[in-house]
PDB file of all heavy atoms in Angstrom:
ATOM      1  N   ASN A   1     -27.077   5.659  -6.227  1.00  0.00           N
ATOM      2  CA  ASN A   1     -25.906   6.350  -5.731  1.00  0.00           C
ATOM      3  C   ASN A   1     -25.716   6.227  -4.269  1.00  0.00           C
ATOM      4  O   ASN A   1     -24.680   6.599  -3.755  1.00  0.00           O
ATOM      5  CB  ASN A   1     -25.944   7.826  -6.148  1.00  0.00           C
ATOM      6  CG  ASN A   1     -27.136   8.561  -5.549  1.00  0.00           C
ATOM      7  OD1 ASN A   1     -27.995   7.943  -4.890  1.00  0.00           O
ATOM      8  ND2 ASN A   1     -27.229   9.897  -5.798  1.00  0.00           N
ATOM      9  N   GLU A   2     -26.665   5.739  -3.477  1.00  0.00           N
ATOM     10  CA  GLU A   2     -26.517   5.532  -2.058  1.00  0.00           C
ATOM     11  C   GLU A   2     -25.476   4.466  -1.752  1.00  0.00           C
ATOM     12  O   GLU A   2     -24.794   4.488  -0.715  1.00  0.00           O
ATOM     13  CB  GLU A   2     -27.793   5.195  -1.384  1.00  0.00           C
ATOM     14  CG  GLU A   2     -28.743   6.447  -1.296  1.00  0.00           C
ATOM     15  CD  GLU A   2     -30.058   6.112  -0.671  1.00  0.00           C
ATOM     16  OE1 GLU A   2     -30.155   4.998  -0.052  1.00  0.00           O
ATOM     17  OE2 GLU A   2     -30.984   6.905  -0.750  1.00  0.00           O
ATOM     18  N   HIS A   3     -25.342   3.427  -2.569  1.00  0.00           N
ATOM     19  CA  HIS A   3     -24.390   2.369  -2.349  1.00  0.00           C
ATOM     20  C   HIS A   3     -22.996   2.704  -2.826  1.00  0.00           C
ATOM     21  O   HIS A   3     -22.052   2.060  -2.458  1.00  0.00           O
ATOM     22  CB  HIS A   3     -24.862   1.070  -3.007  1.00  0.00           C
ATOM     23  CG  HIS A   3     -26.125   0.572  -2.376  1.00  0.00           C
ATOM     24  ND1 HIS A   3     -26.113  -0.053  -1.188  1.00  0.00           N
ATOM     25  CD2 HIS A   3     -27.415   0.548  -2.855  1.00  0.00           C
ATOM     26  CE1 HIS A   3     -27.409  -0.361  -0.892  1.00  0.00           C
ATOM     27  NE2 HIS A   3     -28.172  -0.068  -1.885  1.00  0.00           N
ATOM     28  N   GLN A   4     -22.884   3.695  -3.616  1.00  0.00           N
ATOM     29  CA  GLN A   4     -21.584   4.178  -4.151  1.00  0.00           C
ATOM     30  C   GLN A   4     -20.772   4.869  -3.092  1.00  0.00           C
ATOM     31  O   GLN A   4     -19.533   5.024  -3.223  1.00  0.00           O
ATOM     32  CB  GLN A   4     -21.740   5.006  -5.362  1.00  0.00           C
ATOM     33  CG  GLN A   4     -22.309   4.250  -6.531  1.00  0.00           C
ATOM     34  CD  GLN A   4     -22.598   5.141  -7.728  1.00  0.00           C
ATOM     35  OE1 GLN A   4     -22.465   6.388  -7.619  1.00  0.00           O
ATOM     36  NE2 GLN A   4     -22.969   4.569  -8.853  1.00  0.00           N
ATOM     37  N   ASP A   5     -21.370   5.322  -1.998  1.00  0.00           N
ATOM     38  CA  ASP A   5     -20.593   6.020  -0.966  1.00  0.00           C
ATOM     39  C   ASP A   5     -19.682   5.109  -0.196  1.00  0.00           C
ATOM     40  O   ASP A   5     -18.657   5.556   0.308  1.00  0.00           O
ATOM     41  CB  ASP A   5     -21.588   6.671   0.035  1.00  0.00           C
ATOM     42  CG  ASP A   5     -22.375   7.754  -0.582  1.00  0.00           C
ATOM     43  OD1 ASP A   5     -21.960   8.313  -1.651  1.00  0.00           O
ATOM     44  OD2 ASP A   5     -23.445   8.114  -0.044  1.00  0.00           O
ATOM     45  N   LYS A   6     -19.914   3.821  -0.171  1.00  0.00           N
ATOM     46  CA  LYS A   6     -19.054   2.899   0.561  1.00  0.00           C
ATOM     47  C   LYS A   6     -18.044   2.356  -0.402  1.00  0.00           C
ATOM     48  O   LYS A   6     -18.262   1.344  -1.031  1.00  0.00           O
ATOM     49  CB  LYS A   6     -19.892   1.722   1.129  1.00  0.00           C
ATOM     50  CG  LYS A   6     -20.870   2.249   2.174  1.00  0.00           C
ATOM     51  CD  LYS A   6     -21.675   1.087   2.789  1.00  0.00           C
ATOM     52  CE  LYS A   6     -22.597   1.566   3.810  1.00  0.00           C
ATOM     53  NZ  LYS A   6     -23.357   0.431   4.433  1.00  0.00           N
ATOM     54  N   LYS A   7     -16.900   3.021  -0.468  1.00  0.00           N
ATOM     55  CA  LYS A   7     -15.863   2.603  -1.425  1.00  0.00           C
ATOM     56  C   LYS A   7     -14.929   1.637  -0.682  1.00  0.00           C
ATOM     57  O   LYS A   7     -14.622   1.849   0.519  1.00  0.00           O
ATOM     58  CB  LYS A   7     -15.066   3.810  -1.861  1.00  0.00           C
ATOM     59  CG  LYS A   7     -15.834   4.765  -2.732  1.00  0.00           C
ATOM     60  CD  LYS A   7     -15.033   5.957  -3.174  1.00  0.00           C
ATOM     61  CE  LYS A   7     -15.908   6.857  -4.034  1.00  0.00           C
ATOM     62  NZ  LYS A   7     -15.141   8.075  -4.349  1.00  0.00           N
ATOM     63  N   PRO A   8     -14.469   0.605  -1.320  1.00  0.00           N
ATOM     64  CA  PRO A   8     -13.528  -0.279  -0.623  1.00  0.00           C
ATOM     65  C   PRO A   8     -12.206   0.394  -0.384  1.00  0.00           C
ATOM     66  O   PRO A   8     -11.789   1.270  -1.084  1.00  0.00           O
ATOM     67  CB  PRO A   8     -13.337  -1.458  -1.684  1.00  0.00           C
ATOM     68  CG  PRO A   8     -13.876  -0.976  -2.955  1.00  0.00           C
ATOM     69  CD  PRO A   8     -14.748   0.185  -2.637  1.00  0.00           C
ATOM     70  N   ARG A   9     -11.607  -0.004   0.753  1.00  0.00           N
ATOM     71  CA  ARG A   9     -10.325   0.656   1.119  1.00  0.00           C
ATOM     72  C   ARG A   9      -9.134  -0.080   0.428  1.00  0.00           C
ATOM     73  O   ARG A   9      -9.266  -1.255   0.066  1.00  0.00           O
ATOM     74  CB  ARG A   9     -10.143   0.491   2.619  1.00  0.00           C
ATOM     75  CG  ARG A   9     -11.264   1.219   3.384  1.00  0.00           C
ATOM     76  CD  ARG A   9     -11.130   0.974   4.851  1.00  0.00           C
ATOM     77  NE  ARG A   9     -10.289   2.088   5.344  1.00  0.00           N
ATOM     78  CZ  ARG A   9      -9.856   2.183   6.578  1.00  0.00           C
ATOM     79  NH1 ARG A   9     -10.101   1.223   7.428  1.00  0.00           N
ATOM     80  NH2 ARG A   9      -9.189   3.174   6.950  1.00  0.00           N
ATOM     81  N   ALA A  10      -8.120   0.694   0.216  1.00  0.00           N
ATOM     82  CA  ALA A  10      -6.859   0.078  -0.309  1.00  0.00           C
ATOM     83  C   ALA A  10      -6.283  -0.950   0.644  1.00  0.00           C
ATOM     84  O   ALA A  10      -6.457  -0.789   1.869  1.00  0.00           O
ATOM     85  CB  ALA A  10      -5.849   1.166  -0.574  1.00  0.00           C
ATOM     86  N   PRO A  11      -5.710  -1.986   0.141  1.00  0.00           N
ATOM     87  CA  PRO A  11      -5.108  -2.994   1.001  1.00  0.00           C
ATOM     88  C   PRO A  11      -4.065  -2.352   1.948  1.00  0.00           C
ATOM     89  O   PRO A  11      -3.406  -1.406   1.510  1.00  0.00           O
ATOM     90  CB  PRO A  11      -4.468  -3.965   0.091  1.00  0.00           C
ATOM     91  CG  PRO A  11      -5.079  -3.723  -1.266  1.00  0.00           C
ATOM     92  CD  PRO A  11      -5.559  -2.322  -1.269  1.00  0.00           C
ATOM     93  N   ASP A  12      -3.910  -2.925   3.116  1.00  0.00           N
ATOM     94  CA  ASP A  12      -2.914  -2.442   4.071  1.00  0.00           C
ATOM     95  C   ASP A  12      -1.562  -3.036   3.729  1.00  0.00           C
ATOM     96  O   ASP A  12      -1.343  -4.239   4.062  1.00  0.00           O
ATOM     97  CB  ASP A  12      -3.354  -2.722   5.531  1.00  0.00           C
ATOM     98  CG  ASP A  12      -2.421  -2.146   6.539  1.00  0.00           C
ATOM     99  OD1 ASP A  12      -1.395  -1.568   6.144  1.00  0.00           O
ATOM    100  OD2 ASP A  12      -2.764  -2.257   7.719  1.00  0.00           O
ATOM    101  N   CYS A  13      -0.690  -2.301   3.185  1.00  0.00           N
ATOM    102  CA  CYS A  13       0.648  -2.868   2.734  1.00  0.00           C
ATOM    103  C   CYS A  13       1.405  -3.435   3.907  1.00  0.00           C
ATOM    104  O   CYS A  13       2.208  -4.374   3.723  1.00  0.00           O
ATOM    105  CB  CYS A  13       1.449  -1.778   2.064  1.00  0.00           C
ATOM    106  SG  CYS A  13       0.837  -1.233   0.497  1.00  0.00           S
ATOM    107  N   LEU A  14       1.240  -2.873   5.110  1.00  0.00           N
ATOM    108  CA  LEU A  14       1.982  -3.329   6.315  1.00  0.00           C
ATOM    109  C   LEU A  14       1.599  -4.811   6.633  1.00  0.00           C
ATOM    110  O   LEU A  14       2.379  -5.485   7.240  1.00  0.00           O
ATOM    111  CB  LEU A  14       1.663  -2.466   7.489  1.00  0.00           C
ATOM    112  CG  LEU A  14       2.064  -1.004   7.318  1.00  0.00           C
ATOM    113  CD1 LEU A  14       1.610  -0.200   8.543  1.00  0.00           C
ATOM    114  CD2 LEU A  14       3.488  -0.825   6.953  1.00  0.00           C
ATOM    115  N   LYS A  15       0.513  -5.304   6.044  1.00  0.00           N
ATOM    116  CA  LYS A  15       0.083  -6.680   6.316  1.00  0.00           C
ATOM    117  C   LYS A  15       0.290  -7.566   5.099  1.00  0.00           C
ATOM    118  O   LYS A  15      -0.135  -8.692   5.068  1.00  0.00           O
ATOM    119  CB  LYS A  15      -1.402  -6.695   6.674  1.00  0.00           C
ATOM    120  CG  LYS A  15      -1.689  -5.967   7.981  1.00  0.00           C
ATOM    121  CD  LYS A  15      -3.185  -5.917   8.327  1.00  0.00           C
ATOM    122  CE  LYS A  15      -3.377  -5.243   9.560  1.00  0.00           C
ATOM    123  NZ  LYS A  15      -4.836  -5.093   9.912  1.00  0.00           N
ATOM    124  N   CYS A  16       1.019  -7.067   4.070  1.00  0.00           N
ATOM    125  CA  CYS A  16       1.278  -7.782   2.858  1.00  0.00           C
ATOM    126  C   CYS A  16       2.685  -8.415   2.833  1.00  0.00           C
ATOM    127  O   CYS A  16       3.655  -7.797   3.314  1.00  0.00           O
ATOM    128  CB  CYS A  16       1.137  -6.844   1.688  1.00  0.00           C
ATOM    129  SG  CYS A  16       1.381  -7.601   0.058  1.00  0.00           S
ATOM    130  N   VAL A  17       2.783  -9.672   2.295  1.00  0.00           N
ATOM    131  CA  VAL A  17       4.062 -10.305   2.210  1.00  0.00           C
ATOM    132  C   VAL A  17       5.020  -9.614   1.278  1.00  0.00           C
ATOM    133  O   VAL A  17       6.276  -9.782   1.403  1.00  0.00           O
ATOM    134  CB  VAL A  17       3.893 -11.819   1.814  1.00  0.00           C
ATOM    135  CG1 VAL A  17       3.089 -12.615   2.823  1.00  0.00           C
ATOM    136  CG2 VAL A  17       3.271 -11.891   0.433  1.00  0.00           C
ATOM    137  N   TYR A  18       4.567  -8.826   0.389  1.00  0.00           N
ATOM    138  CA  TYR A  18       5.417  -8.112  -0.602  1.00  0.00           C
ATOM    139  C   TYR A  18       5.920  -6.758  -0.085  1.00  0.00           C
ATOM    140  O   TYR A  18       6.759  -6.142  -0.777  1.00  0.00           O
ATOM    141  CB  TYR A  18       4.727  -7.953  -1.896  1.00  0.00           C
ATOM    142  CG  TYR A  18       4.272  -9.283  -2.531  1.00  0.00           C
ATOM    143  CD1 TYR A  18       2.922  -9.591  -2.659  1.00  0.00           C
ATOM    144  CD2 TYR A  18       5.195 -10.243  -2.818  1.00  0.00           C
ATOM    145  CE1 TYR A  18       2.468 -10.760  -3.220  1.00  0.00           C
ATOM    146  CE2 TYR A  18       4.765 -11.464  -3.364  1.00  0.00           C
ATOM    147  CZ  TYR A  18       3.456 -11.671  -3.564  1.00  0.00           C
ATOM    148  OH  TYR A  18       3.082 -12.945  -4.085  1.00  0.00           O
ATOM    149  N   PHE A  19       5.459  -6.281   1.036  1.00  0.00           N
ATOM    150  CA  PHE A  19       5.914  -4.981   1.532  1.00  0.00           C
ATOM    151  C   PHE A  19       7.263  -5.103   2.153  1.00  0.00           C
ATOM    152  O   PHE A  19       7.520  -5.996   2.880  1.00  0.00           O
ATOM    153  CB  PHE A  19       4.882  -4.506   2.583  1.00  0.00           C
ATOM    154  CG  PHE A  19       5.294  -3.216   3.197  1.00  0.00           C
ATOM    155  CD1 PHE A  19       5.050  -2.043   2.566  1.00  0.00           C
ATOM    156  CD2 PHE A  19       5.847  -3.123   4.478  1.00  0.00           C
ATOM    157  CE1 PHE A  19       5.473  -0.758   3.120  1.00  0.00           C
ATOM    158  CE2 PHE A  19       6.212  -1.964   5.093  1.00  0.00           C
ATOM    159  CZ  PHE A  19       5.998  -0.803   4.398  1.00  0.00           C
ATOM    160  N   LYS A  20       8.051  -4.135   1.825  1.00  0.00           N
ATOM    161  CA  LYS A  20       9.460  -4.068   2.353  1.00  0.00           C
ATOM    162  C   LYS A  20       9.782  -2.635   2.820  1.00  0.00           C
ATOM    163  O   LYS A  20       9.205  -1.699   2.339  1.00  0.00           O
ATOM    164  CB  LYS A  20      10.485  -4.421   1.259  1.00  0.00           C
ATOM    165  CG  LYS A  20      10.258  -5.773   0.604  1.00  0.00           C
ATOM    166  CD  LYS A  20      10.499  -6.919   1.521  1.00  0.00           C
ATOM    167  CE  LYS A  20      10.218  -8.228   0.807  1.00  0.00           C
ATOM    168  NZ  LYS A  20       9.822  -9.261   1.616  1.00  0.00           N
ATOM    169  N   VAL A  21      10.635  -2.561   3.812  1.00  0.00           N
ATOM    170  CA  VAL A  21      11.150  -1.260   4.277  1.00  0.00           C
ATOM    171  C   VAL A  21      12.525  -1.088   3.700  1.00  0.00           C
ATOM    172  O   VAL A  21      13.369  -2.004   3.729  1.00  0.00           O
ATOM    173  CB  VAL A  21      11.183  -1.209   5.837  1.00  0.00           C
ATOM    174  CG1 VAL A  21      11.792   0.128   6.266  1.00  0.00           C
ATOM    175  CG2 VAL A  21       9.803  -1.393   6.414  1.00  0.00           C
ATOM    176  N   THR A  22      12.763   0.058   3.065  1.00  0.00           N
ATOM    177  CA  THR A  22      14.092   0.313   2.454  1.00  0.00           C
ATOM    178  C   THR A  22      14.972   1.135   3.416  1.00  0.00           C
ATOM    179  O   THR A  22      14.533   1.592   4.418  1.00  0.00           O
ATOM    180  CB  THR A  22      13.933   1.111   1.139  1.00  0.00           C
ATOM    181  OG1 THR A  22      13.601   2.485   1.499  1.00  0.00           O
ATOM    182  CG2 THR A  22      12.857   0.576   0.257  1.00  0.00           C
ATOM    183  N   TRP A  23      16.210   1.280   3.008  1.00  0.00           N
ATOM    184  CA  TRP A  23      17.214   2.074   3.748  1.00  0.00           C
ATOM    185  C   TRP A  23      17.235   3.467   3.269  1.00  0.00           C
ATOM    186  O   TRP A  23      17.974   4.330   3.753  1.00  0.00           O
ATOM    187  CB  TRP A  23      18.563   1.428   3.662  1.00  0.00           C
ATOM    188  CG  TRP A  23      18.726   0.171   4.420  1.00  0.00           C
ATOM    189  CD1 TRP A  23      18.598  -1.112   3.983  1.00  0.00           C
ATOM    190  CD2 TRP A  23      18.951   0.046   5.850  1.00  0.00           C
ATOM    191  NE1 TRP A  23      18.748  -2.003   4.927  1.00  0.00           N
ATOM    192  CE2 TRP A  23      19.003  -1.344   6.131  1.00  0.00           C
ATOM    193  CE3 TRP A  23      19.159   0.976   6.877  1.00  0.00           C
ATOM    194  CZ2 TRP A  23      19.259  -1.792   7.450  1.00  0.00           C
ATOM    195  CZ3 TRP A  23      19.385   0.478   8.154  1.00  0.00           C
ATOM    196  CH2 TRP A  23      19.395  -0.862   8.401  1.00  0.00           C
ATOM    197  N   GLU A  24      16.411   3.830   2.282  1.00  0.00           N
ATOM    198  CA  GLU A  24      16.384   5.115   1.644  1.00  0.00           C
ATOM    199  C   GLU A  24      15.459   6.033   2.407  1.00  0.00           C
ATOM    200  O   GLU A  24      14.241   5.851   2.360  1.00  0.00           O
ATOM    201  CB  GLU A  24      16.032   5.037   0.202  1.00  0.00           C
ATOM    202  CG  GLU A  24      17.016   4.249  -0.664  1.00  0.00           C
ATOM    203  CD  GLU A  24      16.576   4.089  -2.095  1.00  0.00           C
ATOM    204  OE1 GLU A  24      16.186   5.148  -2.706  1.00  0.00           O
ATOM    205  OE2 GLU A  24      16.561   2.984  -2.588  1.00  0.00           O
ATOM    206  N   PRO A  25      15.964   7.059   3.078  1.00  0.00           N
ATOM    207  CA  PRO A  25      15.084   7.968   3.867  1.00  0.00           C
ATOM    208  C   PRO A  25      14.020   8.642   3.005  1.00  0.00           C
ATOM    209  O   PRO A  25      12.899   8.906   3.408  1.00  0.00           O
ATOM    210  CB  PRO A  25      16.034   9.005   4.501  1.00  0.00           C
ATOM    211  CG  PRO A  25      17.349   8.309   4.543  1.00  0.00           C
ATOM    212  CD  PRO A  25      17.358   7.383   3.291  1.00  0.00           C
ATOM    213  N   ALA A  26      14.398   8.940   1.761  1.00  0.00           N
ATOM    214  CA  ALA A  26      13.374   9.624   0.851  1.00  0.00           C
ATOM    215  C   ALA A  26      12.296   8.690   0.353  1.00  0.00           C
ATOM    216  O   ALA A  26      11.232   9.106   0.012  1.00  0.00           O
ATOM    217  CB  ALA A  26      14.118  10.250  -0.297  1.00  0.00           C
ATOM    218  N   PHE A  27      12.618   7.402   0.343  1.00  0.00           N
ATOM    219  CA  PHE A  27      11.652   6.432  -0.186  1.00  0.00           C
ATOM    220  C   PHE A  27      11.654   5.203   0.736  1.00  0.00           C
ATOM    221  O   PHE A  27      12.167   4.096   0.350  1.00  0.00           O
ATOM    222  CB  PHE A  27      12.022   5.974  -1.645  1.00  0.00           C
ATOM    223  CG  PHE A  27      12.115   7.130  -2.530  1.00  0.00           C
ATOM    224  CD1 PHE A  27      13.378   7.579  -2.978  1.00  0.00           C
ATOM    225  CD2 PHE A  27      11.030   7.830  -3.003  1.00  0.00           C
ATOM    226  CE1 PHE A  27      13.528   8.662  -3.858  1.00  0.00           C
ATOM    227  CE2 PHE A  27      11.111   8.884  -3.861  1.00  0.00           C
ATOM    228  CZ  PHE A  27      12.368   9.306  -4.271  1.00  0.00           C
ATOM    229  N   PRO A  28      11.072   5.322   1.919  1.00  0.00           N
ATOM    230  CA  PRO A  28      11.219   4.205   2.929  1.00  0.00           C
ATOM    231  C   PRO A  28      10.350   2.979   2.737  1.00  0.00           C
ATOM    232  O   PRO A  28      10.548   1.948   3.302  1.00  0.00           O
ATOM    233  CB  PRO A  28      10.834   4.945   4.206  1.00  0.00           C
ATOM    234  CG  PRO A  28       9.892   6.037   3.794  1.00  0.00           C
ATOM    235  CD  PRO A  28      10.396   6.428   2.457  1.00  0.00           C
ATOM    236  N   ARG A  29       9.339   3.080   1.823  1.00  0.00           N
ATOM    237  CA  ARG A  29       8.408   1.952   1.667  1.00  0.00           C
ATOM    238  C   ARG A  29       8.563   1.355   0.261  1.00  0.00           C
ATOM    239  O   ARG A  29       8.683   2.097  -0.699  1.00  0.00           O
ATOM    240  CB  ARG A  29       7.023   2.380   1.928  1.00  0.00           C
ATOM    241  CG  ARG A  29       6.841   2.900   3.381  1.00  0.00           C
ATOM    242  CD  ARG A  29       5.465   3.560   3.573  1.00  0.00           C
ATOM    243  NE  ARG A  29       5.344   4.029   4.902  1.00  0.00           N
ATOM    244  CZ  ARG A  29       5.616   5.264   5.284  1.00  0.00           C
ATOM    245  NH1 ARG A  29       5.880   6.192   4.422  1.00  0.00           N
ATOM    246  NH2 ARG A  29       5.440   5.600   6.583  1.00  0.00           N
ATOM    247  N   SER A  30       8.385   0.022   0.164  1.00  0.00           N
ATOM    248  CA  SER A  30       8.626  -0.608  -1.132  1.00  0.00           C
ATOM    249  C   SER A  30       7.691  -1.767  -1.314  1.00  0.00           C
ATOM    250  O   SER A  30       7.263  -2.374  -0.387  1.00  0.00           O
ATOM    251  CB  SER A  30      10.141  -1.082  -1.151  1.00  0.00           C
ATOM    252  OG  SER A  30      10.350  -1.845  -2.339  1.00  0.00           O
ATOM    253  N   CYS A  31       7.469  -2.114  -2.621  1.00  0.00           N
ATOM    254  CA  CYS A  31       6.687  -3.251  -2.985  1.00  0.00           C
ATOM    255  C   CYS A  31       7.528  -4.116  -3.916  1.00  0.00           C
ATOM    256  O   CYS A  31       8.012  -3.686  -4.915  1.00  0.00           O
ATOM    257  CB  CYS A  31       5.381  -2.865  -3.693  1.00  0.00           C
ATOM    258  SG  CYS A  31       4.470  -4.235  -4.325  1.00  0.00           S
ATOM    259  N   ALA A  32       7.698  -5.369  -3.496  1.00  0.00           N
ATOM    260  CA  ALA A  32       8.520  -6.291  -4.269  1.00  0.00           C
ATOM    261  C   ALA A  32       7.928  -6.719  -5.602  1.00  0.00           C
ATOM    262  O   ALA A  32       8.586  -7.072  -6.582  1.00  0.00           O
ATOM    263  CB  ALA A  32       8.787  -7.603  -3.406  1.00  0.00           C
ATOM    264  N   VAL A  33       6.593  -6.662  -5.693  1.00  0.00           N
ATOM    265  CA  VAL A  33       5.905  -7.090  -6.879  1.00  0.00           C
ATOM    266  C   VAL A  33       6.012  -5.989  -8.001  1.00  0.00           C
ATOM    267  O   VAL A  33       6.367  -6.261  -9.103  1.00  0.00           O
ATOM    268  CB  VAL A  33       4.372  -7.389  -6.638  1.00  0.00           C
ATOM    269  CG1 VAL A  33       3.630  -7.612  -7.902  1.00  0.00           C
ATOM    270  CG2 VAL A  33       4.255  -8.552  -5.754  1.00  0.00           C
ATOM    271  N   PHE A  34       5.703  -4.733  -7.608  1.00  0.00           N
ATOM    272  CA  PHE A  34       5.685  -3.637  -8.579  1.00  0.00           C
ATOM    273  C   PHE A  34       6.991  -2.880  -8.662  1.00  0.00           C
ATOM    274  O   PHE A  34       7.134  -2.037  -9.559  1.00  0.00           O
ATOM    275  CB  PHE A  34       4.570  -2.660  -8.196  1.00  0.00           C
ATOM    276  CG  PHE A  34       3.180  -3.293  -8.461  1.00  0.00           C
ATOM    277  CD1 PHE A  34       2.421  -3.711  -7.363  1.00  0.00           C
ATOM    278  CD2 PHE A  34       2.667  -3.484  -9.714  1.00  0.00           C
ATOM    279  CE1 PHE A  34       1.173  -4.284  -7.593  1.00  0.00           C
ATOM    280  CE2 PHE A  34       1.458  -4.033  -9.939  1.00  0.00           C
ATOM    281  CZ  PHE A  34       0.693  -4.427  -8.858  1.00  0.00           C
ATOM    282  N   GLY A  35       7.938  -3.148  -7.760  1.00  0.00           N
ATOM    283  CA  GLY A  35       9.201  -2.424  -7.799  1.00  0.00           C
ATOM    284  C   GLY A  35       9.055  -0.997  -7.402  1.00  0.00           C
ATOM    285  O   GLY A  35       9.768  -0.131  -7.815  1.00  0.00           O
ATOM    286  N   ILE A  36       8.026  -0.646  -6.597  1.00  0.00           N
ATOM    287  CA  ILE A  36       7.755   0.657  -6.200  1.00  0.00           C
ATOM    288  C   ILE A  36       8.562   0.991  -4.936  1.00  0.00           C
ATOM    289  O   ILE A  36       8.631   0.239  -4.037  1.00  0.00           O
ATOM    290  CB  ILE A  36       6.248   0.871  -5.856  1.00  0.00           C
ATOM    291  CG1 ILE A  36       5.411   0.668  -7.099  1.00  0.00           C
ATOM    292  CG2 ILE A  36       5.973   2.171  -5.259  1.00  0.00           C
ATOM    293  CD1 ILE A  36       3.919   0.557  -6.809  1.00  0.00           C
ATOM    294  N   LYS A  37       9.144   2.194  -4.927  1.00  0.00           N
ATOM    295  CA  LYS A  37       9.748   2.767  -3.681  1.00  0.00           C
ATOM    296  C   LYS A  37       9.109   4.107  -3.551  1.00  0.00           C
ATOM    297  O   LYS A  37       9.088   4.924  -4.494  1.00  0.00           O
ATOM    298  CB  LYS A  37      11.258   2.935  -3.846  1.00  0.00           C
ATOM    299  CG  LYS A  37      12.015   1.625  -3.811  1.00  0.00           C
ATOM    300  CD  LYS A  37      13.501   1.865  -3.856  1.00  0.00           C
ATOM    301  CE  LYS A  37      14.257   0.558  -3.904  1.00  0.00           C
ATOM    302  NZ  LYS A  37      15.752   0.879  -4.018  1.00  0.00           N
TER     303      LYS A  37
END
């Protein structure tokens, strides 16, 4: 269990080619792959 404390971090979307900024103030961040806003 000592090695389980080091969990990998989520990828930084700001550095991803699929990350987009939307014009929607309520949902400003988007992913082109998953269609998430």
